[in-house]
Amino acid sequence: MSFTKKDEESGLSTYYNNKTTVIQEARVFNESPISPRKCRALLTRIVYLLYVGETFNTQEATTLFFGTTKLFQHKDSALRQMVYLAIKELAETAEDVIMVTSSIMKDMQPNSEVIYRPNAIRALCRIIDPSMAQGVERFFKAAIVDKNPSISSAALVSAYHLFPHAKDVVKRWVNEAQEAVSSKSTTSFFGASSSGGGYLGWGGSSASANTGYQPITSVSYITQYHSLGLLYQIRQQDRMAVTKMIQQLGGGRSGAGTSLKNPMALCMLIRYAAKVMEEDPNVQRQMLELLEGWLRHKSDMVNLEAARVICEMKNVTPQQLTRSIAVLQLFLSSPKSTLKFAATRTLAALAVTHPTSVAACNIDLENLISDPNRSVATYAITTLLKTGNEASVDRLMKQISGFMSEISDEFKVIIVDAIRSLCLKFPAKHDSMLAFLSGVLRDEGGYDFKRAVVEAIFDMIKFIADCKEQALSHLCEFIEDCEFTKLSVRILHLLGVEGPKAPHPTKYIRFIYNRVVLENATVRAAAVAALAKFGLNNIDAKLGRSVNVLLNRCLDDVDDEVRDRAALYLKVYDAPPLIQPYIKEESIYSLSALESKLVSYLSDPEALEQPLDVTSIPKISKEQAAKDSARPSTLETIGAASTSKAATPPPPSAAETQSNYAQQLTEVPELSSYGPVLNSSSKPSPLTESETEYQVSVVKHIFKEHVVFQFNVSNTIPDTVLEQVSVIMQPQADAGLTEDFIIPVPTLSSANSPGIVYVSFTRDTPDEYAQASFQCILKFVSKEVDPSTGEPEEEGYEDEYQLEDTELAAADYIVPSYVTFASEWDRLRGGVSVTETFSLPAMESLRAACNSVIEILNMQPLGGTEDPQSPTVHTLQLSGIVAGGGGKVLVRCRMTYSKAQGVTLEVGVRAEQQPAADLVIAAIGG
């Protein structure tokens, strides 16, 4: 049934595809005799509604589902296909769908029409309960090895979807899947002829269709693609089996002996090979031989995939890249835009790490700059920017300017990012690149594009001192008509930081104050903060008075945030000591530590009687805070280290680790009365080798009156279960600690590892910092697992495992904290001050001495002093807070080195309290 444009405008189409109308018309399923044409049309509308996002409630779906099943009595082939499509979609919502299983199973029989069987198999996969998978196993096995590709593919794809729910059953089909992937020839039902006036030429009866069926050889071999996907899913947990499968199907070094004729299957095999190489570098050489063989395959798709995988290999050498780059270079001159696009995109990514290797393609890439497909031209120019030399920069910049207006924002961002890296590579060419960036900044574009340009200019200001003033001027012009609030705020902040340091700071004032007059409240508030930095940085008394006048005008602003900021900075004018903490301060509180402190403060009713003590919260530099903001805030280190070699995200910061440990400890009832945790180890210390059958690491938690040791215990033996797992700790004499209790792990298997054992000690004298060494023994009851039931045996035997000793040291009481060393050192001049000299003859360099002192004290190195610039003389500056009210402590280590005497170390300590200074000196002296 078709509709004209006029019908659509009149709303007839909307009525026709209305859910209510469709449900009402479902009575056509009950007519006798059944009209195949009407039923097909209605089923099409149902599927269409589901496709566009319409939903049927359970009752509606069930009514339609069972109405549809009545159509099984009709033999029309096209109607039967639509019935299966509708059943598949409605099965997810309808109830009691399992009742239709017998009808579907009837169509799965080998003597049924070929066209019925694939649809029946796909529908059955959606209908059956996972527990019924074993009952249909015989049908699926036969279908997987069927010579008809449509039947075989349907069975393979259905098995793929069944696998997550019935793994044990589907795993038994591996031989059939192996046979399907290795099949030499398959047939297709599209060569069938039919008698009768059925829909689209299909016969009206089963008999006529069967007599007219003439199989022909399939040329797509799509069954291989589907069976390879199923084989990998079955074997993906067994890396050796996957490696063997790749080698068997790979066809040897040349790739010519492979039984895979489907290009998509070969591409999938190449991706599996890439994953195996990533997980196990030992097989890289064998896999590389296979990949290089596939570079000569007759399919362009396979060539590209193999070349891309070789280019993305870890630690790939220029020699290994030679063949893949040669293949990609051939594709650069291909008449097909898709091949040119894929090749240039791969080369653009490779040019980041191997620009010299990619430079061989520069002539072909330059020819693509004028390619009519602008996506290809963009990647070509991006690659040339990464591989070109300093002499070609100006020429490339002119060519880029010509077509920037013709490409989308997505590709503009790619080009800007390439120019951003080129600026840092050739700083002498900053003039032309800055001119280009400032030009595109004035062009039309979205937020992502403008942000990329601004970020590039920010990097130039940060790393190329010669262009700082000119770049700031371009940013000032940009914010005059910038439509993005976020960008305006960031630029104003940068002006506030860099502007006062410029040779002529006054020229930026006009641009900043214009924002106070013309912009929205968010930008006005940022402009007030930037203005204050100009006035309060002691640049010029006259400038300070002028800014004071401008800030007074801001007191009449309609927005309270703007007024509050202006009032704050005017207060700082009247109280010069406030300039350091509010204007010049280079550190901020660690947000994770601050959050943890606030949570524990609010959850303790007794603590609420006193003001919050912020002196124990560690600080970090603003630069470190910016790095931490890009870090995932998940605690990877609470449990034992993973044995997986897959890529892992960056580790959390020390403050995030502390916050996560604090949250974890609150969930242990036995520790709830201990109060807030004062400090935790930044990372677990291993007490066993990583290859041993039992892996143990320890984390130390310091409380006001207690010390808790957290042991992360992993059992790596799959057929053994450990019960009553505990750690026996034996401290040295006079440690000042008394053991309270041990919280064991009831059951520990390889599946639920790691488990956590807690051992608690009371600090006999909480005001002192107890230090001790402990002998540790892992005790447990070992039980074998019955392979038939998967349950541990009733009887086991007690066993123990000797662990390495662990220490409670000074580093466990000190929290690293950032400060401005010079001003804080002067402030503590009147406090506790201790100086000691030590001889370290075993130290082989100043760098080794710095690393050792930082590790022993667990303090924050300041100003890059952890990296000695001179091999003979150096000063290391450290800062920290002693947990539990010990106050701030600063350390200045002056050191000299000579081959004859090693390192001579003079340690100067300034602290707010004497015990903190004694703790530091004792730690280094010990």
Side-chain angles (χ1 to χ4, degrees), residues 290-297 302-303 306-307 310 323-324 327:
L290 288 172
L291 291 170
E292 288 181 343
W294 288 322
L295 287 173
R296 297 186 289 273
H297 195 271
V302 176
N303 300 154
I310 292 174
R323 292 183 182 177
S324 57
V327 169

Side-chain angles (χ1 to χ4, degrees), residues 20 46 96 120 156 574 664 780 813 869 896 920:
T20 308
I46 292 172
D96 301 325
L156 288 163
D574 298 334
Q664 182 185 0
F780 51 86
Y813 295 98
Q869 301 301 312
T896 60
V920 170

Side-chain angles (χ1 to χ4, degrees), residues 659-738:
S659 177
N660 281 276
Y661 279 137
Q663 182 179 354
Q664 182 185 0
L665 292 168
T666 57
E667 298 170 2
V668 182
E670 291 88 344
L671 308 178
S672 58
S673 61
Y674 285 9
V677 61
L678 304 178
N679 190 31
S680 297
S681 309
S682 57
K683 58 183 180 180
S685 303
L687 301 182
T688 59
E689 297 293 333
S690 58
E691 296 82 12
T692 56
E693 59 269 33
Y694 309 123
Q695 297 173 5
V696 182
S697 61
V698 63
V699 178
K700 289 155 277 187
H701 305 290
I702 308 297
F703 292 85
K704 186 176 181 180
E705 298 179 355
H706 300 83
V707 177
V708 174
F709 293 83
Q710 170 188 321
F711 293 93
N712 305 312
V713 185
S714 292
N715 172 19
T716 63
I717 306 175
D719 53 356
T720 301
V721 171
L722 308 183
E723 294 185 353
Q724 296 303 313
V725 182
S726 61
V727 177
I728 307 302
M729 300 182 69
Q730 184 62 45
Q732 65 187 29
D734 303 326
L737 297 168
T738 303

Side-chain angles (χ1 to χ4, degrees), residues 839-843 897-904:
S839 178
L840 309 174
M843 289 293 172
Y897 172 75
S898 66
K899 288 186 177 180
Q901 299 179 344
V903 174
T904 302

